């Protein structure tokens, strides 16, 4: 049926029905490229207007549309050959962004090491980011965990596009994802903060069981679950009585924030992992400080910090600090060469997804042509529930320009967690290319 | 029989949206043997089976197709318009052919079965009326590769080479024109040329048929007048050296004589 671009099956389908074809209005149908491939294999015979089609005619009729052309088709069967045996299934899918969000991986990302960029904020914030609440969680059995929004302060961190969302390791109680440490407003700033502030105060309380009886009963407080499997993004306005002073709360729709977070899993090299382990042995978390634990709410904690900062007496040499151009670092901030490097570095590490959410309105970018699913025993592919694709494919030809960074960002963002491979077709030769990102090594030996 | 001196029938090249495919096996062979045009076989091979190699159709470079059309050796035929369709008699004729083929196959199957039964000892032969040796579903059907019927429509005019058309988008493109002039000149010298994208060039130049020779050179046709970055030049030359081919920089201006520069990387 050239009008709709599909082929209808008259007799029941055979073995290929596992991976190809779909059902529409109760009839089994095939997409044009699937039908053409099966015709060349000899598994089906195509009829058009009651006459059988020769392969040439089938090529001309089925590949006449814009969406499916000869290079696409060549990539299709080339993929079938490469993964021999059953072959992967392909699905030409058009992307709808809201739908994609359901499939993207959870918002887990590593807590440490943070890229130097984010820790460039004040010392206070970096302490708080290392705060792990997981030890307090086993008590909170019945509640669903919340992946808080760490993005409320994008104006604090200069040019910050994708705030790295934190999720500590899952608690052993198996109560779902971990609690995140939301980034809270600084002392001097009035900011709207969504309801995480309430849970932060409560959890802080939880982490000091034994010193004070908990004011919060977690069995009755329900923390909304913002993880992608059951997103609950409309957060109601928080109760005024629970918020610290100077912090107005409001109802927030976290959907737009969820899109902006880094959805790609960060792959650390072995060296980075070893460094992580080393650091975790020697660095202490904020919770270990007894004075911090004695604070029962946010006010007291802030007061403690203020008191501490006043205790530090350091002299500022006037010839350095009273001029228009001041040094980048204070003496007490230079704790390690990493801290020094942060201040003096000119290049900022950027992520492929930085700013990608902004680009979604621009529709002139590339679109993804196929999803390729692996067909081995591990991956259970069902047509109705394909699962996560192994790789996504964009078909291009050698004549075209290398895709621009903007187009790359769009495509990577649309793809979520799945790597994108470019299939370059030129006159029968197909080559597969993919972009790999890596972090430049930072010379910090500690 | 035609006059042996008469030029052979022009071959038919199917043209669709700028891609040229050859569907006839005889035509593909003639192209390779007589016209020194070697395309690429791009048909999907079967997943299982003895014949795992590449299959028809043969895809040609636009430059190759244009050369063949201009020399009159072939005709570019776009796909037919979806008109009112084949006459109703065609369907009836197909059904009749199918029925006849089925009858013949059934006869052959019956004959085979009888032959097999002869070999069995008499007490094991089945008694009773034999069922049909060939059920209708087991009918062997041949899928024709090329379109049947007269391949050359009566009105097949060559596309206008200078202007882009829906089925010939290469018309008027300076890149295509440049490459075509170089291709025509090199082909006229008796060399074989194929697509050079594998080695980062425009063409691969062979002294003889590609099945028997290794490529001697990678031909690159940079745009005239534009400065060629030294880095790109070094990259191309290095690549050529690494695969033991000469790098050929070609320039064929429209009015003048073509000029070629060959580069070989060697010790000083």
């Amino acid at each position: 049926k050239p009008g709709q671009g599909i082929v209808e099956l008259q007799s029941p389908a055979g073995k290929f029905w596992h991976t190809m074809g779909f059902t529409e209005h109760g009839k089994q149908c095939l997409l044009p490229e699937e039908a053409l491939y099966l015709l060349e294999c000899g598994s089906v015979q195509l009829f058009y207007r009651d006459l059988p089609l020769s392969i040439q005619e089938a090529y001309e009729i089925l590949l006449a549309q814009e969406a499916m052309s000869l290079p696409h088709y060549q990539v299709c069967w080339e993929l079938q050959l490469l993964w021999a045996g059953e072959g992967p299934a392909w699905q030409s899918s058009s992307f709808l962004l809201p739908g994609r969000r359901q499939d993207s991986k959870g918002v887990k990302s590593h807590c440490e090491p943070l890229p130097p960029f984010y820790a460039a904020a004040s010392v206070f914030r970096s302490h708080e980011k290392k705060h792990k609440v997981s030890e307090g969680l086993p008590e909170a059995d019945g509640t669903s965990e919340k992946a808080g929004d760490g993005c409320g302060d994008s104006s604090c961190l200069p040019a910050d596009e994708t705030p790295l969302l934190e999720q500590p390791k899952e608690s052993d109680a198996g109560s779902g994802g971990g609690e995140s440490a939301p980034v809270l407003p600084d002392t001097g700033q009035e900011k709207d903060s969504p309801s995480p502030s309430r849970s932060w105060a409560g959890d802080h309380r939880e982490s000091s069981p034994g010193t004070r009886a908990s004011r919060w009963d977690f069995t009755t407080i329900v923390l909304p679950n913002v993880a992608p499997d059951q997103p609950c993004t409309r957060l109601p306005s928080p109760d005024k009585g629970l918020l610290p002073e100077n912090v107005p709360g409001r109802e927030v729709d976290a959907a737009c924030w969820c899109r902006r977070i880094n959805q790609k899993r960060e792959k650390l090299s072995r060296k980075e992992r070893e460094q992580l382990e080393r650091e975790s042995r020697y660095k202490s978390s904020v919770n270990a400080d007894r004075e911090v634990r004695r604070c029962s709410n946010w006010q007291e904690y802030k007061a403690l910090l203020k008191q501490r900062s006043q205790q530090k007496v350091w002299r500022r040499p006037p010839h350095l600090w009273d001029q228009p151009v001041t040094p980048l670092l204070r003496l007490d901030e230079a704790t390690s060469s990493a801290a020094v490097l942060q201040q003096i570095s000119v290049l900022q590490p950027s992520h492929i997804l930085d700013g990608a959410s902004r680009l979604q309105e621009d529709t002139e970018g590339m679109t993804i042509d196929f999803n390729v699913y692996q067909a081995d025993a591990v991956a259970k592919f069902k047509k109705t529930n394909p699962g996560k694709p192994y790789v996504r494919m964009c078909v291009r030809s050698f004549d075209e320009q290398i895709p621009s960074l903007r187009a790359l960002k769009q495509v990577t963002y649309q793809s979520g967690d799945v790597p994108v491979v470019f299939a370059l077709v030129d006159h029968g030769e197909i080559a597969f290319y993919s972009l790999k990102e890596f972090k430049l090594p930072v010379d910090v030996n500690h | 029989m035609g006059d042996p001196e008469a030029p052979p029938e022009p071959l038919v090249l199917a043209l669709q949206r700028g891609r040229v495919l050859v569907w006839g096996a005889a035509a593909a062979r003639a192209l390779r043997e007589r016209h020194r045009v070697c395309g690429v076989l791009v048909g999907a091979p079967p997943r299982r089976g003895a014949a795992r190699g590449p299959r028809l159709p043969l895809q040609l470079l636009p430059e190759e197709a244009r050369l063949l059309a201009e020399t009159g050796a072939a005709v570019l035929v776009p796909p037919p318009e979806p008109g009112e369709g084949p006459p109703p008699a065609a369907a009836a004729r197909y059904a009749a052919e199918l029925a006849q083929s089925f009858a013949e196959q059934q006869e052959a199957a019956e004959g085979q079965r009888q032959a097999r039964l002869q070999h069995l000892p008499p007490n094991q032969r089945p008694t009773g009326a034999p069922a049909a040796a060939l059920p209708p579903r087991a009918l062997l059907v041949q899928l024709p590769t090329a379109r049947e019927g007269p391949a050359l429509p009566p009105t097949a005019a060559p596309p206008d080479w200078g202007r882009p058309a829906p089925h010939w988008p290469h018309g008027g493109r300076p890149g295509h024109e440049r490459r075509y002039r170089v291709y025509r000149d090199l082909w006229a010298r008796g060399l074989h040329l194929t697509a050079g994208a594998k080695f980062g060039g425009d063409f691969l130049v062979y002294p003889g048929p590609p099945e028997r020779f290794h490529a001697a050179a990678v031909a690159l046709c940079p745009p005239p007048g534009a400065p060629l970055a030294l880095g790109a030049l070094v990259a191309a030359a290095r690549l050529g050296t690494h695969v033991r081919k000469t790098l050929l920089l070609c320039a064929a201006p429209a009015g003048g004589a073509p000029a070629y520069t060959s580069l070989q990387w060697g010790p000083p």
Side-chain angles (χ1 to χ4, degrees):
Chain A
K1 292 192 197 157
Q4 300 160 10
I6 54 169
V7 170
E8 204 177 284
L9 283 178
Q10 305 249 308
S11 58
K15 207 169 162 205
F16 58 82
W17 189 246
H18 289 303
T19 48
M20 303 193 204
F22 57 96
T23 311
E24 196 175 285
H25 305 309
K27 295 209 171 128
Q28 292 179 324
C29 304
L30 290 172
L31 288 170
E33 64 274 16
E34 299 170 345
L36 196 52
Y37 180 67
L38 291 170
L39 178 69
E40 284 202 276
C41 286
S43 310
V44 300
Q45 192 181 12
L46 293 181
F47 284 86
Y48 179 56
R49 291 183 182 145
D50 292 332
L51 274 188
L53 288 179
S54 66
I55 303 190
Q56 176 182 4
E57 290 163 349
Y59 261 70
E60 284 167 3
I61 293 180
L62 292 173
L63 296 185
Q65 302 150 357
E66 266 312 313
M68 171 58 47
S69 66
L70 194 58
H72 285 64
Y73 177 61
Q74 283 174 351
V75 175
C76 276
W77 64 253
E78 186 72 30
L79 287 173
Q80 287 267 343
L81 285 189
L82 284 178
W83 282 279
E86 277 309 311
W90 64 68
Q91 264 190 357
S92 313
S93 60
S94 59
F95 263 58
L96 301 162
L97 197 55
R100 283 284 92 192
R101 199 155 54 80
Q102 306 296 329
D103 291 350
S104 60
K105 279 284 253 197
V107 292
K108 288 196 194 313
S109 63
H110 292 272
C111 307
E112 348 156 59
L114 290 172
F117 189 76
Y118 294 105
S122 68
V123 171
F124 141 73
R125 191 160 289 138
S126 66
H127 274 304
E128 156 223 338
K129 277 198 172 162
K130 290 195 195 129
H131 175 72
K132 294 210 198 309
V133 196
S134 35
E135 45 267 28
L137 281 179
E139 276 91 65
D141 258 324
T143 60
S144 58
E145 306 307 318
K146 171 172 160 150
D149 305 333
C151 20
D153 64 333
S154 49
S155 58
C156 300
L157 301 174
D160 172 22
E161 303 279 6
T162 53
L164 206 56
L165 193 65
E166 303 243 17
Q167 268 205 353
K169 310 182 243 316
E170 284 177 81
S171 58
D172 297 336
S175 42
E179 178 79 22
S180 81
V183 180
L184 288 172
D186 210 346
T187 355
Q189 291 179 358
E190 306 265 336
K191 281 200 64 73
D192 288 336
S193 88
S195 41
S197 58
R198 169 166 59 111
S199 50
W200 158 264
D203 285 334
H204 195 85
R205 171 69 55 107
E206 268 299 327
S207 66
S208 54
T211 54
R212 205 175 293 231
S214 165
R215 239 194 326 153
W216 309 97
D217 182 12
F218 273 103
T219 51
T220 55
I221 297 178
V222 171
L223 300 172
N225 176 19
V226 194
D229 50 348
Q230 294 170 40
C232 159
T233 49
R234 298 211 63 89
L235 306 168
S237 171
D239 187 1
K240 288 266 177 14
L242 299 170
L243 290 174
E245 63 185 35
N246 285 350
V247 177
R250 59 153 189 220
E251 176 175 340
V252 76
D253 181 6
C256 61
W257 295 113
C258 285
R259 272 208 286 274
R260 296 202 194 180
I261 48 189
N262 177 13
Q263 293 181 0
K264 284 184 93 159
R265 182 183 287 274
E266 208 179 299
K267 294 192 179 89
L268 298 177
S269 68
R270 194 170 50 93
K271 268 182 136 183
E272 286 171 340
R273 276 200 295 269
E274 287 170 6
Q275 196 180 2
L276 256 182
E277 286 168 45
R278 263 183 277 134
E279 283 174 8
S280 58
R281 263 183 270 145
Y282 295 114
K283 290 195 175 157
S284 61
S285 84
V286 167
N287 258 354
D289 195 342
R290 272 181 54 234
E291 292 188 10
V292 171
R293 282 222 289 269
R294 248 186 268 133
C295 304
S296 69
N297 61 19
W298 183 237
Q299 271 172 325
E300 293 179 19
Y301 183 56
K302 282 196 185 176
L304 174 68
L305 287 176
K306 209 191 253 185
Q307 181 197 12
R308 278 193 178 163
S309 68
Q310 278 163 0
Q311 279 167 1
K312 288 186 222 151
V313 174
W314 53 283
R315 286 190 324 223
R316 314 194 320 174
H319 66 275
L320 283 180
W321 290 95
D322 290 339
Q323 311 243 355
V325 180
T326 59
L328 284 172
L329 275 185
R330 293 196 322 232
L331 275 177
D332 56 340
E333 278 178 359
T335 46
S336 64
S337 56
V340 177
L341 269 179
Q342 283 157 25
Q343 295 292 339
I344 63 177
S345 69
V346 175
L347 291 176
Q348 290 168 6
S350 84
H351 197 261
I352 184 82
L353 289 178
D354 288 346
S357 57
R358 265 185 319 176
L359 296 172
Q360 292 315 306
E361 291 79 37
D362 179 16
T363 50
E364 55 153 71
M366 297 188 295
T367 48
I368 296 183
D369 297 311
F370 302 117
N371 293 336
V372 179
Y373 299 90
Q374 243 181 341
D376 48 0
V378 177
K380 301 181 207 23
F381 176 79
K382 281 198 179 34
K383 275 188 301 198
T384 44
N385 180 19
K388 196 163 88 97
Y390 175 59
V391 101
R392 294 199 219 268
M393 197 80 56
C394 279
V395 179
R396 291 284 165 270
S397 86
F398 270 121
D399 299 333
E400 301 174 18
Q401 294 280 337
I402 302 176
S404 67
L405 185 59
R406 160 184 281 250
L408 277 177
K409 284 195 173 182
Q410 275 179 313
V411 164
T412 318
Y413 184 77
Q414 282 175 352
S415 158
D417 203 11
V418 177
V420 175
V421 170
F422 291 94
L424 292 181
V425 182
D426 180 70
H427 198 249
E429 305 277 338
I430 304 185
F432 296 102
Y433 290 97
S434 70
L435 290 174
K436 190 174 129 139
E437 59 171 38
F438 66 100
K439 283 220 204 90
L440 289 174
V442 176
D443 186 18
V444 177
N445 298 334
H446 263 87
Chain B
M1 289 294 129
D3 187 357
E5 297 295 329
E9 284 270 331
L11 307 166
V12 175
L13 308 177
L15 175 69
Q16 186 181 22
R17 294 225 302 251
R19 299 186 210 281
V20 182
L21 299 173
V22 180
W23 288 97
R29 193 168 158 188
L31 280 176
R32 287 196 173 181
E33 290 176 0
R34 265 191 287 145
H35 299 283
R36 276 186 289 123
V37 166
C38 180
V40 174
L41 288 168
V42 296
R47 279 154 46 156
R48 290 169 199 92
R52 284 293 301 242
R55 303 207 287 195
L56 284 176
L58 190 75
Q59 186 175 4
L60 299 181
L61 285 171
E63 290 83 26
E64 295 172 336
R66 184 168 161 184
L67 180 80
L68 290 169
E70 286 194 349
T71 55
V75 174
L76 292 173
V77 176
E81 298 298 319
E84 60 277 350
R93 199 172 51 222
Y94 174 68
E97 282 172 4
L98 208 59
Q100 190 196 6
S101 161
F102 182 59
E104 287 174 7
Q105 288 183 28
Q106 231 178 359
E107 241 181 74
E110 186 61 39
Q112 270 191 350
R113 197 163 76 129
Q114 293 298 329
R116 272 203 308 270
L117 287 177
Q118 298 296 330
H119 290 292
L120 289 177
N123 54 348
Q124 281 188 6
R125 288 187 199 161
T127 53
L134 192 73
R137 270 188 304 126
L139 177 64
L140 266 180
V141 176
Q142 191 209 4
L143 292 175
T145 311
R147 190 190 290 119
E148 293 155 9
L152 207 57
T155 58
D160 184 4
W161 305 118
R163 240 175 306 138
H167 281 302
W168 184 252
H170 311 286
R173 279 195 197 154
H176 169 71
E177 298 289 328
R178 229 172 32 229
R179 283 197 297 268
Y180 176 63
R181 286 194 292 266
V182 171
Y183 182 86
R184 195 175 48 193
D185 184 65
L186 288 173
W187 186 83
R189 292 168 195 242
L191 299 165
H192 291 70
L193 292 146
T194 55
K198 263 192 288 200
F199 294 106
D202 286 312
F203 304 112
L204 288 179
V205 182
Y206 293 82
E211 294 92 7
R212 297 202 189 101
F213 288 80
H214 282 300
V218 176
L220 196 61
C221 311
L228 187 63
L230 193 57
L233 187 62
V234 169
R238 280 282 229 175
L239 185 60
T241 310
H242 188 67
V243 296
R244 281 198 285 274
K245 299 186 205 312
T246 314
L247 177 68
L248 202 63
L249 294 172
C250 318
Y260 300 100
T261 313
S262 78
L263 280 161
Q264 266 178 328
W265 199 268

